[in-house]
């Protein structure tokens, strides 16, 4: 074995690395006796402890073995000539193709990154971001410290995968008051945001090849999750009143699940009226289809009180209600909840437990305090007023900048608008968004296909993360971009 030591590099590390490399390369064959620790230390004029620590590490990893009264030897169990090559000896080569499951192969073909793609733009109208200034940081910090003190000296253990009992009890009361949801604490499952809720519903209820109804246009996270598991998408058009229930497939078609946003259709902003809600529930009951009610931001309604949930009208027990704190507190918290029909609690609980054991318990505890102490509903009232001012500022700025050339949809609720420019072809929406990004303005092309849309390039424009002066400045820059485009092409 050839060993060279550099006095400027830790000696123990060098000795370990070089001995290991000699073993792996076959230079030191299995069964070879190594010099004693004292002899090797004398040979290189280093401390014996340095040699002993290198030997001990190699012994622990199985490269060496100690034989009492005989010395230290290269492990006899290492196969001669078949040991792995050292990393430095591996030639550069193209990576080997991974052997993936069908699920993974489907994921590779989907634009999963679009769910979280956010530009670091000065005037970002991207939907899904909220203002950091709106987060109740002082209250959250105080409640968090109180919870940490309460747990002082107690072990942090695995928790109930269904969620903390105190949070489920608090949510049961809150959802009954705010959304008319009929939910006993034992029906509530705490999840890591609404996307996990969608994923769990598909895992538990849908097999590859089954049919899932989705809104068209609709939430891309639901569509992607359906495609990923290998189910068949059945898009149903929406109009100004949300999902067009007259265009649902026949009940006997056997759809396993329908994903809907009746409280505030995403992305068009329509609110499903009572007649359609009842028609949807009747269709579900006749076909035995579960309905996933994605109630993602209905706390923010600016004309009248929030409409009651679809689940409040369900008498057949087929509605799975899902909510999240991503839009009312912060998407970084990863807190959401599901209200399940009783017969689904156990299978969903098993799937949740296998996925991640449980949602972070400290955040659950703080959220429970926030609800019980009244802070949560006060926070919603405060942010509703702020977001209404932001919405008003965006609507006024768009009308001032574009006049009759702009069509604004979905302004009655939520945290975004659909904005359409009549004098720009829909095919140019992507080019307009790219040009806007160069001016530090973030907008997202809206999905096409909504019945009743007035044509032209459409965009989602969120306003919850910007203050009013920035909204006005961002629209002014957007006006310059839009003026450079003409119907049929860019200037």
């Amino acid at each position: 074995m050839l060993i060279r030591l550099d006095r400027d590099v830790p000696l123990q590390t060098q000795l370990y690395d070089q001995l290991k490399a000699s073993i792996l390369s076959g230079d030191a064959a299995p069964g070879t006796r190594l010099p004693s620790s004292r002899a090797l230390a004398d040979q290189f004029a280093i401390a014996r402890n340095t040699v002993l620590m290198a030997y001990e590490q190699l012994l622990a990893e199985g490269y060496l073995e100690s034989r009492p009264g005989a010395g230290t030897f290269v492990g006899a169990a290492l196969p001669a000539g078949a040991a792995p090559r050292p990393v430095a000896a591996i030639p550069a080569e193209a990576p080997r193709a991974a052997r993936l499951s069908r699920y993974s192969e489907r994921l590779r073909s989907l634009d999963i990154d679009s769910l979280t793609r956010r530009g670091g733009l000065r005037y970002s109208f991207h939907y899904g971001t909220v203002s950091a200034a709106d987060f109740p940081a002082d209250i959250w910090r105080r409640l968090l410290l109180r919870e940490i003190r309460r747990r002082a000296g107690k072990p942090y253990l695995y928790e109930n995968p269904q969620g903390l009992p105190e949070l489920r009890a608090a949510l049961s009361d809150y959802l009954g008051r705010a959304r008319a949801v009929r939910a006993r604490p034992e029906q509530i499952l705490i999840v890591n945001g609404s996307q996990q809720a969608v994923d769990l519903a598909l895992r538990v209820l849908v097999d590859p090849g089954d049919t899932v109804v989705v809104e068209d246009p609709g939430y891309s996270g639901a569509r992607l999750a359906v495609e990923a598991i290998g189910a068949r998408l059945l898009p149903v058009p929406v109009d100004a009143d949300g999902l067009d229930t007259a265009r649902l497939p026949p009940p006997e078609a056997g759809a396993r699940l329908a994903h809907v946003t009746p409280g505030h259709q995403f992305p068009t902003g329509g609110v499903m009226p009572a007649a359609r809600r009842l028609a949807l529930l009747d269709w579900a009951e006749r076909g035995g289809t579960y309905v996933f009610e994605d109630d993602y931001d209905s706390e923010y309604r600016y004309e009248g009180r929030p409409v009651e949930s679809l689940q409040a009208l369900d008498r057949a027990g087929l509605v799975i209600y899902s909510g999240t704190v991503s839009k009312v507190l912060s998407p970084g918290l990863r807190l959401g909840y599901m209200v399940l029909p009783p017969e689904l609690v156990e299978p969903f609980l098993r799937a949740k437990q296998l996925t991640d054991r449980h949602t972070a318990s400290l955040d659950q505890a703080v959220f429970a305090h926030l609800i019980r102490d009244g802070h949560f509903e006060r926070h919603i009232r405060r942010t509703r007023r702020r977001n209404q001012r932001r919405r008003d500022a965006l609507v006024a700025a768009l009308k001032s900048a574009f006049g009759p050339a702009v069509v604004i949809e979905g302004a009655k609720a939520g945290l975004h608008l659909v904005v359409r420019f009549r004098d720009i072809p829909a095919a140019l929406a992507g080019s307009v968004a790219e040009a806007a990004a160069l001016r530090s303005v973030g907008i997202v092309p809206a999905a096409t296909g909504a019945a009743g849309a007035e044509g032209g390039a459409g965009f989602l424009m969120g306003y919850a993360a910007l203050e009013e002066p920035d909204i006005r400045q961002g629209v002014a820059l957007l006006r310059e971009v839009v003026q450079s485009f003409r119907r049929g092409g860019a200037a």
Side-chain angles (χ1 to χ4, degrees):
M1 289 184 295
L2 180 62
I3 296 177
R4 294 190 178 92
L5 298 180
D6 181 349
R7 301 288 169 171
D8 294 327
V9 179
L11 298 173
Q12 177 191 335
T13 301
Q14 290 183 76
L15 193 57
Y16 165 84
D17 287 342
Q18 293 187 42
L19 287 170
K20 179 179 174 181
S22 294
I23 295 169
L24 289 174
S25 67
D27 184 35
T32 300
R33 185 179 186 279
L34 269 61
S36 69
S37 58
R38 189 181 304 278
L40 201 58
D42 290 344
Q43 179 182 345
F44 292 103
I46 59 178
R48 185 184 176 199
N49 275 346
T50 300
V51 180
L52 285 171
M53 287 188 289
Y55 276 15
E56 286 173 3
Q57 184 64 34
L58 291 165
L59 284 163
E61 294 177 3
Y63 292 103
L64 300 181
E65 58 185 42
S66 179
R67 300 176 189 173
T72 302
F73 297 81
V74 175
L78 292 173
R85 293 173 292 171
V87 173
I90 298 177
E93 56 187 28
R96 186 173 54 202
R99 297 171 62 186
L100 301 176
S101 69
R102 292 180 181 177
Y103 176 80
S104 294
E105 291 289 356
R106 288 191 292 269
L107 287 180
R108 293 176 73 173
S109 68
L110 301 175
D111 187 13
I112 305 296
D113 291 341
S114 64
L115 296 177
T116 53
R117 191 177 294 144
R118 296 286 181 268
L121 302 175
R122 175 69 179 82
Y123 305 101
S124 176
F125 292 95
H126 287 127
Y127 172 77
T129 54
V130 295
S131 173
D134 288 352
F135 184 75
D138 291 339
I139 296 172
W140 191 272
R141 184 186 305 111
R142 185 169 71 249
L143 295 175
L144 178 61
L145 291 174
R146 186 170 82 183
E147 182 63 22
I148 291 173
R149 285 194 295 268
R150 188 184 73 81
R151 297 183 179 210
K154 300 177 182 177
Y156 284 74
L157 303 174
Y158 290 113
E159 300 283 358
N160 184 341
Q162 190 168 355
L164 296 185
E166 57 265 37
L167 177 55
R168 290 186 282 116
L171 280 169
S172 175
D173 292 339
Y174 165 71
L175 292 172
R177 290 192 305 272
R179 304 292 296 117
V181 171
R182 294 172 288 107
R184 298 188 303 274
E186 57 267 28
Q187 289 178 258
I188 296 176
L189 174 65
I190 306 302
V191 292
N192 296 315
S194 58
Q195 190 63 39
Q196 186 181 48
V198 171
D199 183 71
L200 285 173
L202 292 168
R203 288 175 185 268
V204 172
L205 301 174
V206 179
D207 288 316
D210 286 343
T211 298
V212 177
V213 167
V214 294
E215 298 169 328
D216 184 26
Y219 173 52
S220 62
R223 284 174 171 256
L224 291 168
V226 171
E227 292 182 87
I229 67 165
R232 186 170 72 92
L233 279 171
L234 203 165
V236 175
V238 304
D239 58 21
D241 290 328
L243 182 79
D244 186 352
T245 52
R247 302 179 70 173
L248 284 165
E252 57 271 17
R256 295 293 297 273
L257 185 70
H259 179 276
V260 296
T261 52
H264 183 227
Q265 202 280 327
F266 186 87
T268 64
V271 177
M272 187 181 286
R276 283 198 182 179
R277 290 170 181 248
L278 293 172
L280 174 60
L281 292 173
D282 178 67
W283 170 83
E285 186 172 359
R286 285 188 289 130
T289 302
Y290 283 105
V291 177
F292 187 101
E293 180 180 8
D294 193 339
D295 203 29
Y296 65 100
D297 72 353
S298 59
E299 291 90 352
Y300 293 120
R301 183 168 175 81
Y302 309 117
E303 299 177 16
R305 66 185 299 274
V307 296
E308 70 176 5
S309 65
L310 181 70
Q311 194 260 13
L313 298 172
D314 178 27
R315 295 295 177 266
L318 291 170
V319 174
I320 299 165
Y321 178 87
S322 171
T324 176
V325 305
S326 293
K327 309 301 183 291
V328 292
L329 286 172
S330 169
L333 288 176
R334 307 315 308 141
L335 272 174
Y337 43 88
M338 306 178 76
V339 179
L340 299 165
E343 73 275 11
L344 294 184
V345 172
E346 182 182 0
F348 272 75
L349 183 56
R350 287 176 176 272
K352 163 72 174 175
Q353 188 171 11
L354 188 61
T355 300
D356 61 6
R357 296 297 293 267
H358 64 83
T359 298
S361 58
L362 269 179
D363 286 342
Q364 288 190 64
V366 175
F367 187 34
H369 288 308
L370 201 73
I371 297 173
R372 286 203 309 262
D373 296 350
H375 298 301
F376 185 55
E377 286 167 90
R378 286 192 292 273
H379 167 76
I380 289 175
R381 290 193 294 270
R382 182 169 59 251
T383 53
R384 185 185 293 131
R385 290 192 296 270
R386 291 178 180 174
N387 285 320
Q388 183 170 1
R389 290 195 296 269
R390 291 169 178 140
R391 179 209 62 171
D392 292 344
L394 179 55
V395 170
L398 288 167
K399 289 182 176 179
S400 175
F402 301 104
V406 71
V407 178
I408 298 172
E409 303 166 357
K412 293 182 179 180
L415 299 174
H416 74 279
L417 308 174
V418 177
V419 179
R420 301 186 187 278
F421 297 102
R422 288 193 175 101
D423 53 354
I424 297 179
L428 291 179
S431 299
V432 173
E434 291 173 5
L438 295 176
R439 303 298 300 273
S440 203
V441 177
I443 55 176
V444 177
T448 58
E454 298 191 39
F459 303 91
L460 290 186
M461 293 187 68
Y463 46 80
L466 294 171
E467 298 308 320
E468 294 162 57
D470 289 335
I471 288 173
R472 289 188 282 269
Q473 180 60 33
V475 171
L477 291 170
L478 179 60
R479 181 175 183 271
E480 297 175 7
V481 173
V482 170
Q483 284 181 330
S484 69
F485 285 79
R486 298 289 185 268
R487 183 171 290 277

